[in-house]
């Protein structure tokens, strides 16, 4: 289990633990979870996970660990601004903007 969660060799951090279980609950499949974890392992995994968790914590207006759809959209806007070098897929931009894709 810890080998699946860890993004780098060594002990699993709290960030890795939270990220893994949140992703496991939301991933469309076990394969999808594995693909994302592998991508994080070959890139700047821990720093990306910390940035994601910081962003979600910042938009969580009740500090409950649960965010609303509006807060999720705000988190996506903030992440998009932080990651301008990454191309945004058209339907993802439509979702962030709250417009129907089609």
């Amino acid at each position: 289990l810890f080998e699946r969660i860890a993004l780098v060799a060594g002990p699993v951090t709290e960030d890795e633990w939270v990220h893994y279980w949140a992703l496991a609950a939301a991933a469309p499949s076990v394969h999808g979870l594995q693909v994302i974890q592998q991508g994080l392992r070959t890139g700047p995994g821990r720093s990306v996970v910390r940035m994601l968790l910081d962003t979600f914590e910042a938009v969580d207006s009740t500090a409950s660990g649960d965010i609303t759809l509006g807060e999720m959209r705000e988190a996506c806007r903030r992440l998009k601004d932080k990651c301008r070098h990454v191309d945004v897929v058209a339907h993802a931009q439509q979702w962030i903007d709250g417009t129907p894709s089609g």
Side-chain angles (χ1 to χ4, degrees), residues 1-72:
L1 174 63
F2 288 102
E3 289 176 4
R4 289 193 315 247
I5 294 172
L7 297 177
V8 298
V12 171
T13 66
E14 181 181 347
D15 289 348
E16 289 171 306
W17 183 267
V18 169
H19 160 76
Y20 181 86
W21 290 111
L23 183 59
S29 66
V30 172
H31 178 71
L33 172 63
Q34 292 169 345
V35 167
I36 292 170
Q37 284 294 98
Q38 187 56 37
L40 288 169
R41 285 186 190 107
T42 59
R46 282 187 172 167
S47 62
V48 169
V49 167
R50 182 71 256 159
M51 180 184 65
L52 291 169
L53 293 176
D54 284 345
T55 303
F56 289 124
E57 289 172 7
V59 300
D60 182 3
S61 62
T62 62
S64 66
D66 292 322
I67 59 175
T68 65
L69 179 58
E71 291 169 335
M72 175 60 93

Side-chain angles (χ1 to χ4, degrees), residues 75-90:
C76 290
R77 281 187 194 97
R78 291 180 186 193
L79 289 167
K80 181 181 167 225
D81 290 343
K82 289 179 184 178
C83 303
R84 291 203 174 274
H85 61 283
V86 178
D87 289 333
V88 177
V89 180

